[in-house]
Structures are given as structure tokens and as C-alpha cells.
């Protein structure tokens, strides 16, 4: 069952506890050491004439400071704390990105649907994995790898067509931004459900798909 500390009621980002006091380097190393997640450094923010701009140089960047900085990012991702430390020592302000399709997949839904699903999951006493909330108002539910392959069929079994719901599984070849990565001036990625010893073992997508699909259906 979700604890009060792990589940944040409501729909405002301000209600999510912020991660404080840790550098990006320390946080990235902790993800590799404690969660055994592969991580890789992405773009970063640079102050230009008092405005935070993405290091990629694109003034219209859709995710400033929160996307890969090189095309071969998949080969750069590593679970070695030593290598992670070395990478962030080179660029201490680089965003923290996590490749999906390795130790976890992520199911992405709109923020409003995500909070509704969290409330239903608490009533159902489901055990969740970590869940992030991004400044672009998406929530990502971490689940066992393989979700991206079986999600369409799981959705059809519930009576929905996959294209009718704003529900996407991120697997091999994709990534998520991890807290406390910032999206330009929009804010930082935060935990809606923090990584804890209790949720080290991730749920299968099949365990969460019913409340997630229901919430996305309500959110249309």
C-alpha cells in the first residue's frame, strides 16, 4: 500500500516534495549505486543575457536543459558509479537522464490523469514503483521492462483503442529525465512517488494498466 509520504494528493507541482541539498553529481551517482539504474548526462542550462537557455543552442528548444546532448547517448549510459562521477565532474550542471528499456520502462500519462490514477491505486492498495512529475505536466510510472511491447494489447483488453488514450510506454531507445533536472524556466522534474527500499521491485505494466487507462479515459 502507498504511504502518505510516497503518494502526494492533489494536482499542483508545488505539492511534490523537492529534492534538496544534493548536487547533480551526487544524485546521479546515487541512482547508479542505490537503484542500479543506467544514467547519462544530457544538455544543461546556460545563462545568456539573464535568460536560461539550453546548451544545444536552439532558442526554440522544446526541452531546454533536459534532453540528450549527443546522438550516441544510448552507448554513453552507464550503471558504473565511477564513470558517472567522472562524466558529471566534466559537466557538473548536465541534466540527469535515464534510458528506458533496460532496468525499467516508463508509462507516460498527463499529470491530471496521473494524480487520478495514484488515488485509485492507493484505494486498490497497489504497490508502485517510482513516479516522476515533469514541468511539461506529464507523469512517468516506472514499471518492469517490456511494457512498451505489451501495452497496446493490454489497453485493447480493457476495451480501449491505444490511439484513443494519451498513454504511452517508453521502452528501448527512449529515456526519461530524472529529478532534479530542470526544464528551462518551467521548473524541475520531481518525484510524485520517491524511490524507496519498498519499491525497489517494480510492478509489471499489467498491474497498473487498469487504473491508468481509466484515468486517461476520464481525462480525455
Amino acid at each position: 500500500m502507498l504511504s502518505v509520504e510516497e503518494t502526494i494528493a492533489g494536482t499542483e507541482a508545488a505539492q511534490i516534495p523537492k529534492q534538496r541539498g544534493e548536487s547533480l553529481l551526487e544524485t546521479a551517482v546515487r541512482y547508479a549505486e542505490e537503484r542500479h539504474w543506467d544514467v547519462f548526462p544530457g544538455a544543461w542550462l546556460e545563462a545568456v543575457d539573464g535568460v536560461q537557455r539550453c546548451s544545444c543552442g536552439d532558442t526554440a528548444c522544446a526541452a531546454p536543459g533536459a534532453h540528450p546532448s549527443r546522438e550516441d547517448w544510448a552507448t554513453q549510459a552507464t550503471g558504473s558509479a565511477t564513470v558517472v562521477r567522472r562524466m558529471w565532474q566534466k559537466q557538473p550542471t548536465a541534466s540527469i537522464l535515464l534510458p528506458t528499456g533496460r532496468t525499467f520502462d516508463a508509462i507516460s500519462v498527463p499529470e491530471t490523469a496521473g494524480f487520478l490514477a495514484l488515488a485509485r491505486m492507493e484505494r486498490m492498495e497497489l504497490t508502485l514503483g517510482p513516479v516522476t512529475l515533469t514541468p511539461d505536466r506529464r507523469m512517468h510510472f516506472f514499471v518492469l521492462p517490456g511494457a512498451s511491447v505489451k501495452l497496446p494489447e493490454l489497453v485493447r483488453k480493457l476495451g480501449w483503442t491505444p490511439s484513443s488514450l494519451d498513454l504511452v510506454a517508453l521502452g528501448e531507445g527512449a529515456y526519461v529525465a530524472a529529478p532534479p533536472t530542470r526544464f528551462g524556466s518551467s521548473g524541475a522534474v520531481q518525484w510524485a512517488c520517491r524511490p524507496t527500499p519498498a519499491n525497489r521491485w517494480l510492478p509489471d505494466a499489467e498491474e497498473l494498466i487498469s487504473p491508468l487507462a481509466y484515468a486517461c479515459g476520464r481525462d480525455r
Side-chain angles (χ1 to χ4, degrees), residues 7-86:
T7 304
I8 311 300
T11 57
E12 295 299 323
Q15 292 178 292
I16 307 298
K18 293 183 178 179
Q19 198 164 292
R20 301 179 186 276
E22 279 193 338
S23 67
L24 289 163
L25 184 155
E26 291 170 331
T27 304
V29 168
R30 186 162 54 81
Y31 290 152
E33 285 186 333
E34 296 182 10
R35 301 300 293 200
H36 304 295
W37 290 339
D38 282 2
V39 301
F40 67 98
W44 57 91
L45 296 173
E46 299 174 331
V48 180
D49 297 328
V51 179
Q52 293 291 320
R53 300 196 185 280
C54 186
S55 61
C56 71
D58 183 357
T59 56
C61 181
H67 63 82
S69 59
R70 43 194 277 185
E71 292 185 4
D72 64 343
W73 61 264
T75 61
Q76 186 187 25
T78 178
S80 166
T82 301
V83 177
V84 170
R85 187 176 299 278
R86 189 182 307 135

Side-chain angles (χ1 to χ4, degrees), residues 112-174:
T112 48
F115 277 115
L116 176 59
L118 281 176
R120 288 180 66 85
M121 290 173 187
E122 183 173 12
R123 290 195 297 272
M124 296 167 68
E125 299 188 357
L126 294 179
T127 299
L128 285 183
V131 181
T132 62
L133 172 63
T134 63
D136 60 353
R137 306 186 78 83
R138 302 290 296 183
M139 292 180 76
H140 297 101
F141 290 73
F142 289 22
V143 295
L144 288 173
S148 61
V149 175
K150 55 187 171 185
L151 193 69
E153 183 58 28
L154 291 175
V155 170
R156 290 190 191 95
K157 285 182 178 180
L158 292 171
W160 300 93
T161 57
S163 61
S164 69
L165 300 179
D166 187 0
L167 188 156
V168 180
L170 304 174
E172 187 175 358

Side-chain angles (χ1 to χ4, degrees), residues 83-117:
V83 177
V84 170
R85 187 176 299 278
R86 189 182 307 135
M87 290 192 294
W88 264 271
Q89 285 173 339
K90 291 180 180 178
Q91 183 47 255
T93 57
S95 54
I96 303 175
L97 305 180
L98 310 175
T100 50
R102 300 188 183 186
T103 52
F104 65 86
D105 278 6
I107 300 178
S108 174
V109 299
E111 174 189 299
T112 48
F115 277 115
L116 176 59

